[in-house]
Amino acid sequence: HEPRRAGRGGGLFCWAVPILLLAFGIRLCALFLDLEEVYEKGFALYNILMLPHQAYEDFLQSYDVYTHATDHELEDAYGQDWREVEMRKHKHTYTVVQYYCALVGCQKMYVAPLFNTVRGNEENQVIFEYQLARWLKTGDWDDQPFTAGARRDVDPNAAVPKTKRVLELGCGQGRSLQELGRFLGADWQLMGMNLDGNQLRHAKERPAEVRMRDLNHMPYDWIANASVNGAYNLGAMTFQRDLEEHAQE
């Protein structure tokens, strides 16, 4: 007798079992893992592996720019084109640093004040951004514990008049600015400036108006009406050479 051949139903069953197991595995992972976080860390690891060797060489050579505190020192070190050299070195720094920060869950690239001792830096960043939004709106800090209910899902396309504006100096990828907007509400226009075009590429995907600018190059005449309702920076003060001049601006 000839061996019995598997029917069409058996073939479909052989295909269906692996697919169902894969779907079950993905669902199981979703219960225990933050898929967005997994994607971001995977994306960061991919970029770290794909960066050319020259990017790391430029990164290591970029840190000498931070040893110069004044415009005169920079000009003596790099010549008449010192502004272009300075911006280029800052870009080389962040081209590498941003991906390593994302790999360890520090995409916003600043260490928040320790509001909650049992929470990590990311949770304390959100608490700080909530406090910052409250200060911008009311001029006062809120000592009450932060709750996730303070967040709002802001639709960037909503027909709500933008009556107030906030500017972040050194906005990076715009993550803090976007979080701040969720606390401020839809009537606030979010604005940011940063000198690294690679980071701004990600920031432009968020509901904010961002520009490639060096915060040390003043005046900020690109801002309409030369006025905002509030301005802040998170760590970018490291690059500010004249704090009094910035305060006046």
Side-chain angles (χ1 to χ4, degrees):
H1 299 281
E2 294 184 3
R4 182 179 297 178
R5 297 181 180 180
R8 179 177 297 180
L12 291 176
F13 179 78
C14 292
W15 279 103
V17 170
I19 294 174
L20 289 173
L21 289 175
L22 178 61
F24 177 75
I26 293 174
R27 180 61 179 172
L28 193 63
C29 289
L31 293 175
F32 297 100
L33 299 174
D34 185 337
L35 294 183
E36 183 178 353
E37 181 180 356
V38 171
Y39 169 78
E40 289 184 347
K41 290 186 176 182
F43 181 75
L45 180 61
Y46 170 80
N47 280 281
I48 288 171
L49 296 175
M50 295 302 295
L51 281 173
H53 178 73
Q54 187 60 44
Y56 288 99
E57 290 292 333
D58 293 339
F59 166 72
L60 293 173
Q61 295 173 12
S62 67
Y63 272 80
D64 63 343
V65 74
Y66 304 112
T67 64
H68 307 297
T70 66
D71 292 357
H72 294 297
E73 290 182 13
L74 287 164
E75 187 173 5
D76 291 340
Y78 305 125
Q80 293 182 347
D81 297 330
W82 64 268
R83 290 186 183 274
E84 295 181 9
V85 175
E86 180 194 27
M87 289 189 67
R88 187 165 62 248
K89 285 181 175 288
H90 287 320
K91 291 177 182 178
H92 289 160
T93 299
Y94 281 100
T95 295
V96 175
V97 165
Q98 64 174 333
Y99 295 125
Y100 279 91
C101 285
L103 197 60
V104 296
C106 191
Q107 294 94 328
K108 294 177 181 177
M109 291 192 286
Y110 80 94
V111 178
L114 192 60
F115 291 97
N116 191 323
T117 57
V118 299
R119 298 293 184 179
N121 185 55
E122 290 182 82
E123 291 86 352
N124 278 283
Q125 285 176 336
V126 174
I127 297 173
F128 175 70
E129 288 152 8
Y130 161 72
Q131 298 282 12
L132 178 58
R134 182 176 176 83
W135 178 77
L136 286 167
K137 295 175 71 173
T138 67
D140 193 13
W141 290 88
D142 181 11
D143 294 329
Q144 299 300 316
F146 163 77
T147 62
R151 280 193 177 108
R152 305 177 185 178
D153 291 325
V154 177
D155 181 2
N157 300 315
V160 177
K162 306 290 185 179
T163 58
K164 298 178 182 179
R165 297 190 295 180
V166 61
L167 170 68
E168 181 177 356
L169 294 88
C171 65
Q173 296 184 6
R175 295 176 182 274
S176 297
L177 192 59
Q178 182 179 24
E179 189 72 61
L180 191 72
R182 296 175 68 184
F183 294 128
L184 289 173
D187 57 331
W188 282 74
Q189 180 183 358
L190 309 178
M191 305 173 66
M193 57 187 292
N194 203 69
L195 54 74
D196 181 13
N198 192 28
Q199 292 185 81
L200 285 178
R201 179 168 56 86
H202 299 285
K204 289 178 180 178
E205 298 173 358
R206 309 183 192 282
E209 177 189 342
V210 294
R211 299 287 187 92
M212 184 185 294
R213 293 289 188 277
D214 184 343
L215 56 83
N216 285 303
H217 296 176
M218 291 175 280
Y220 300 152
D221 51 9
W222 56 275
I223 299 175
N225 302 322
S227 176
V228 293
N229 296 89
Y232 69 96
N233 71 53
L234 301 171
M237 190 174 292
T238 306
F239 308 115
Q240 291 177 284
R241 291 193 290 273
D242 191 329
L243 294 179
E244 183 178 352
E245 185 181 13
H246 276 87
Q248 292 175 350
E249 178 65 17

